[in-house]
Amino acid sequence: AAADPGNPAQSARGKPGGRRRPDKPTAELWTELTGLVGSSGSEDGPGGAAEGRPAEVSLEEALVRLAEFLSVQLGAEESFGNSADLSKPGDVPPLLTVTGQLLALLAWIRSPRGRQVLPQATQPASGVQPPTPTGSPSQEESPSISPRGEAQGQHPPQLEEDQRAWQRLEQLILGQLEELKQQLELQEKELGQLRVGVGATDSEKRVQHLTLENKALKQSLSLTRDLLLHWGPAPANRAPQEQEEAEALLQLRGRLQEAQDTTEALRVQLGVQEVQLQGLRGALRQLQQETEENCRRELQQVRAQLAGLRARMASLRQGCGDLRGLVSTFTQSCQGSLSEARGQVSWALGALSAGGAGTQLLEAQQGPPTGCPGRLLELKGNIRVLCRLRPGTPSNLVSLEPGPGGTVTTRYRGHRRRFRLDWVFPPHASQEEVFRELESAVLSCLGGYSVCIFTYGQTGTGKTYSMEGPPEDPGIAPRALQSLFREMGTGGQHHVTLSMVEIYNEAVRDLLAPGPPQRLAVRQGPAGEGGIQVAGLTHWDVPNLESLHQMLNLGRSNRATAATAMNQHSSRSHALVTLTLRTASPSSGPGTAGTLHLVDLAGSERAWKAGAAGTSHEDRDGAQRLREARTINRSLLALGGVMAALRARRPHVPFRDSQLTRLLQPALGPGATAVLLLQVSTRPEDLGETVCSLKFAERVGRVELGPARPRRAPRSGTPSSLSTDTPLSGTPCTATPSPGSPPSPGLDSGSSSALAPPEDLPS
Ligand SMILES: Nc1ncnc2c1ncn2[C@@H]1O[C@H](COP(=O)(O)OP(=O)(O)OP(=O)(O)O)[C@@H](O)[C@H]1O
């Protein structure tokens, strides 16, 4: 009350009709109260005794006035709309609580027991009449709050009534105490809830509220204690009461302290929980991130595994297909071998029955070769890759280990790469050495095998040199023909035919046609029979080696060549020479039809390097070279695609992508034997293309065509040069000249005038 002396007066002034006593304004009550405080204290108090009042005021009187003041104060608060909701124990204002406690104290003082304990304290020490507390907070609750003087002057029935009222009040106060207890319990419960962990902000507010309440309670209690100390009975008489009060106070203080401690502990706990909560939130966030990350990673792994499984499944499927192919190839090979054996047996039997016993051995020796070399090749299903290095300035960027299973090592753009090939010929290797390695394959044609030898490489690396060679040092083709004719001897057991075409700017031209070369149409053979047909292609019977050389020279001269920056006599086309060797079959059994394809591919080249970059109308030659280079590269690319498909054993092989691959289809079919002679340059400026060529050759080396098997000769019709499966039929072919007759009038002279290239070909 001493802490805020101004407010009571102000609040009382604005509400004259409240519970406040009309004849005693709040200011007056306050003055009285402060006067009491001053008078009850020491003499240096704020002047109560100095105003002439008696020095002693009874405790009861003082409490009555204090209660009166507080009740007026409560009334004022209520009138300003600050009325508390008494149904909620937590909302009971401290002022009401203190007032209630004061009233309880007063009731106790006025009770018989209180009067016994405090006989003097309830009596005013002097003759001061305390004011009548008619404006007490609740007339019903405290009917007997009246000055002690009045009580003394009352009649006995009135006294009894007072006592009953006091008892009621006592019960009421006890009820209030019970309520307070309940409040405390509720607070404890709330604190418990807070402990459980309600929202941090609400909890803090609640804690602050409770702290304030505790503070107010503490203040009210200390005020009560002060009042009790000041207005209590004399030390001698007050001892038991003081002790009791002190105990009660101690209890209250203890409870207060407890509540404070609890609050403090709760606050600390809340702080800890907050920190823990923050930590948990952080951990949760981190956990979420980690989980997301893990999920993402696992998803990626699963996807990768799935992709791997798919790839594996695809490869397994492919492997299955390959296996099926191998099985069928094996079956076919067995059947082929069987029929070959049957043919040989029947041929031998026929020979035996026709001739005498003395000639048996000789004829057996002159019979169809058993094809031992071919049988050796049968075991190698792969395309064989031989590599020949062009003579030139030695470079330390290309090194080699020559011989069978040799290697070529390149150092290109800081990468060292080693390529292993079936055979590596050093730059100084002779034409003879190269052919020796191919001879067995060439001779296997006599046993009915299909053999294809093709040269591949960058322009100017010696493909034509290796295939044709100069007259003084012939290459593979002349040597092969010579070897074949030597092997065949003069027995006339074989029927040899020859055809020769070139593919220039994707046009197929007959290099041995008796007249100007015509563009020929390439078609797929009849459905189910396989193979291809070249309509109008001339097949020449070759009676002897001399005629064969003449024909080859003629075809070679008809081939399109031109001078480029890389090669003075660069072949601008792919040339295919096809030699068919049919055994003159005995009447009792079928013969064989071997085929030898000799393919001199045009060189792969970079347009700018080959000096073929001209595009202007004036530079017609340059434009022509550029066009040639483009078609050459495109067809070589198609050949690479075919090789890749064959190597991967894809069900579809893109033979139709270019004329070159279409014509090579029979030569690269199942059961055929193919040999690639790779020509490379060791010049540093050609290193890029050397590496590309070696890579291509390495890939080709992995292509499996299946075990080689001989072919049976067709019963009739024109021999098939480009399709070993099916004879050319449907479109009539050019009449085959009779054996021994020259192919054309100009053939003997070797002139190309009779078979002059068309106007669009370079002369
Ligand atoms: N091993 C070799 N020994 C001697 N000379 C060679 C050898 N290889 C190539 N040459 C020479 O190199 C030049 C080019 O050779 P060739 O015409 O055969 O190359 P190419 O690869 O056929 O070129 P293109 O693809 O342009 O037709 C020729 O003059 C040839 O004589």
Side-chain angles (χ1 to χ4, degrees):
D4 193 8
N7 282 342
Q10 284 167 10
S11 58
R13 223 175 286 139
K15 188 99 176 178
R19 290 184 194 177
R20 176 166 54 86
R21 221 171 32 175
D23 55 336
K24 281 269 182 186
T26 319
E28 199 179 317
L29 281 171
W30 179 251
T31 315
E32 278 178 15
L33 198 61
T34 49
L36 283 177
V37 173
S39 66
S40 65
S42 59
E43 287 181 0
D44 55 0
E51 288 171 12
R53 288 187 189 166
E56 293 293 326
V57 179
S58 73
L59 174 62
E60 187 182 343
E61 180 70 19
L63 288 178
V64 165
R65 290 192 192 176
L66 181 59
E68 193 180 1
F69 173 75
L70 289 174
S71 68
V72 170
Q73 192 62 30
L74 268 172
E77 271 191 18
E78 202 172 315
S79 66
F80 275 104
N82 294 339
S83 58
D85 183 5
L86 297 179
S87 62
K88 295 180 187 169
D91 284 353
V92 176
L95 200 57
L96 186 61
T97 311
V98 172
T99 313
Q101 284 175 347
L102 267 178
L103 289 174
L105 191 61
L106 263 174
W108 181 80
I109 288 168
R110 285 179 178 178
S111 69
R113 193 164 172 271
R115 284 179 201 285
Q116 272 180 0
V117 176
L118 303 166
Q120 289 180 9
T122 52
Q123 298 293 331
S126 66
V128 175
Q129 288 293 320
T132 309
T134 48
S136 60
S138 168
Q139 292 293 339
E140 304 87 57
E141 287 177 10
S142 57
S144 60
I145 297 178
S146 58
R148 181 170 163 69
E150 278 180 26
Q152 279 178 345
Q154 278 173 350
H155 299 292
Q158 182 65 34
L159 197 64
E160 281 172 16
E161 198 182 319
D162 276 359
Q163 277 177 351
R164 277 199 299 277
W166 278 116
Q167 279 169 0
R168 278 202 303 276
L169 188 62
E170 194 175 352
Q171 282 170 359
L172 191 71
I173 287 165
L174 283 172
Q176 281 183 350
L177 273 171
E178 198 57 40
E179 270 180 26
L180 273 172
K181 256 189 200 170
Q182 284 172 0
Q183 274 184 41
L184 274 170
E185 278 171 13
L186 276 170
Q187 282 179 358
E188 273 173 12
K189 263 188 198 170
E190 280 185 50
L191 285 170
Q193 280 176 355
L194 282 171
R195 232 177 256 132
V196 171
V198 289
T201 318
D202 290 346
S203 307
E204 272 179 8
K205 280 180 186 170
R206 191 70 198 136
V207 167
Q208 280 174 2
H209 183 66
L210 286 172
T211 312
L212 285 173
E213 254 183 51
N214 279 333
K215 210 180 275 178
L217 279 169
K218 204 174 164 189
Q219 279 175 1
S220 69
L221 274 171
S222 83
L223 182 68
T224 312
R225 192 192 59 187
D226 287 349
L227 283 170
L228 282 170
L229 284 173
H230 284 305
W231 285 293
N237 299 330
R238 285 190 314 203
Q241 184 200 354
E242 258 186 11
Q243 203 174 343
E244 213 170 300
E245 283 172 1
E247 277 173 13
L249 269 172
L250 270 174
Q251 271 183 4
L252 281 171
R253 208 181 273 168
R255 288 172 70 176
L256 256 176
Q257 191 60 42
E258 248 174 55
Q260 272 180 339
D261 289 350
T262 313
T263 313
E264 196 57 38
L266 279 175
R267 199 179 291 158
V268 171
Q269 218 171 323
L270 268 174
V272 171
Q273 278 178 355
E274 246 178 58
V275 172
Q276 282 179 351
L277 200 67
Q278 278 178 1
L280 279 171
R281 273 187 198 138
L284 192 69
R285 224 173 293 133
Q286 201 178 339
L287 201 70
Q288 272 177 348
Q289 283 173 357
E290 276 175 15
T291 313
E292 274 173 24
E293 190 61 36
N294 283 347
C295 282
R296 217 172 293 138
R297 215 176 301 133
E298 276 179 26
L299 200 70
Q300 278 175 356
Q301 279 177 357
V302 167
R303 273 191 193 140
Q305 281 176 355
L306 206 67
L309 280 173
R310 274 197 196 125
R312 180 127 183 79
M313 262 179 68
S315 77
L316 278 173
R317 261 192 216 127
Q318 200 177 329
C320 246
D322 292 349
L323 213 61
R324 271 195 212 114
L326 272 178
V327 168
S328 83
T329 310
F330 179 72
T331 315
Q332 284 173 9
S333 172
C334 282
Q335 283 170 353
S337 300
L338 208 66
S339 64
E340 187 194 358
R342 267 196 214 114
Q344 284 178 1
V345 167
S346 61
W347 179 85
L349 284 173
L352 270 174
S353 60
T359 57
Q360 282 175 19
L361 185 62
L362 182 64
E363 285 185 2
Q365 281 172 347
Q366 287 175 349
T370 50
C372 282
R375 286 194 185 284
L376 284 175
L377 286 169
E378 265 182 30
L379 302 173
K380 300 174 184 176
N382 289 48
I383 295 181
R384 295 192 68 214
V385 180
L386 318 180
C387 178
R388 186 179 191 183
L389 277 79
R390 187 189 185 282
T393 323
S395 162
N396 59 352
L397 297 174
V398 181
S399 55
L400 67 149
E401 288 172 30
T407 59
V408 178
T409 308
T410 55
R411 281 175 198 81
Y412 180 56
R413 289 183 179 167
H415 293 286
R416 186 173 173 275
R417 215 169 149 174
R418 199 175 188 206
F419 300 90
R420 188 169 290 282
L421 304 135
D422 291 312
W423 202 290
V424 174
F425 297 104
H428 54 79
S430 68
Q431 300 276 59
E432 169 64 25
E433 281 175 67
V434 175
F435 179 69
R436 212 182 297 141
E437 189 47 36
L438 296 166
E439 193 172 15
S440 58
V442 168
L443 290 180
S444 72
C445 298
L446 294 172
Y449 290 87
S450 167
V451 178
C452 175
I453 298 169
F454 56 109
T455 53
Y456 178 94
Q458 185 194 352
T459 181
T461 49
K463 294 181 296 294
T464 310
Y465 180 88
S466 289
M467 187 56 86
E468 307 291 346
E472 67 278 7
D473 193 8
I476 296 162
R479 284 173 194 269
L481 303 178
Q482 195 173 2
S483 182
L484 280 170
F485 272 89
R486 191 176 53 232
E487 189 68 25
M488 286 187 289
T490 51
Q493 299 287 340
H494 287 86
H495 181 207
V496 184
T497 55
L498 176 77
S499 67
M500 197 170 174
V501 296
E502 74 166 350
I503 305 165
Y504 175 76
N505 283 344
E506 280 301 274
V508 178
R509 301 182 187 282
D510 187 350
L511 291 176
L512 297 179
Q518 298 294 320
R519 184 176 183 148
L520 306 179
V522 180
R523 288 195 300 261
Q524 197 68 29
E529 291 184 24
I532 52 155
Q533 292 179 341
V534 182
L537 180 66
T538 320
H539 298 273
W540 295 95
D541 284 340
V542 184
N544 50 45
L545 189 59
E546 198 186 335
S547 305
L548 188 60
H549 280 306
Q550 284 178 348
M551 288 178 201
L552 277 180
N553 286 334
L554 174 66
R556 206 177 296 153
S557 62
N558 283 335
R559 197 177 168 192
T561 56
T564 66
M566 297 287 287
N567 189 355
Q568 268 306 105
H569 301 280
S570 180
S571 311
R572 310 311 294 159
S573 65
H574 307 296
L576 283 84
V577 175
T578 306
L579 206 69
T580 311
L581 302 122
R582 299 169 69 196
T583 51
S585 60
S587 54
S588 53
T592 57
T595 319
L596 177 65
H597 302 280
L598 297 170
V599 185
D600 180 17
L601 296 172
S604 62
E605 57 191 301
R606 307 244 164 109
W608 60 270
K609 250 187 166 181
T615 51
S616 65
H617 289 295
E618 296 83 41
D619 190 5
R620 282 195 64 203
D621 279 356
Q624 185 115 338
R625 296 295 88 76
L626 182 63
R627 190 171 161 226
E628 289 163 0
R630 276 184 190 153
T631 47
I632 289 168
N633 288 343
R634 210 175 298 141
S635 58
L636 291 175
L637 206 66
L639 181 63
V642 164
M643 291 298 180
L646 286 172
R647 184 164 63 94
R649 293 168 181 275
R650 286 189 206 124
H652 172 70
V653 181
F655 282 114
R656 288 174 158 216
D657 279 5
S658 73
Q659 298 290 35
L660 173 69
T661 47
R662 291 182 97 184
L663 292 182
L664 282 179
Q665 185 173 354
L668 297 173
T673 301
V675 183
L676 169 75
L677 178 62
L678 177 73
Q679 295 283 154
V680 292
S681 158
T682 54
R683 296 193 312 173
E685 59 267 37
D686 296 334
L687 202 55
E689 273 138 305
T690 301
V691 171
C692 280
S693 299
L694 284 163
K695 279 183 185 171
F696 174 79
E698 205 177 47
R699 285 197 295 271
V700 169
R702 293 194 204 116
V703 174
E704 281 178 38
L705 301 175
R709 60 174 193 267
R711 316 260 166 179
R712 219 179 286 174
R715 285 180 195 281
S716 61
T718 315
S720 162
S721 60
L722 295 170
S723 168
T724 51
D725 287 326
T726 316
L728 290 172
S729 59
T731 315
C733 297
T734 309
T736 306
S738 59
S741 63
S744 74
L747 191 64
D748 282 335
S749 62
S751 161
S752 62
S753 57
L755 296 171
E759 280 176 13
D760 60 336
L761 294 179
S763 57

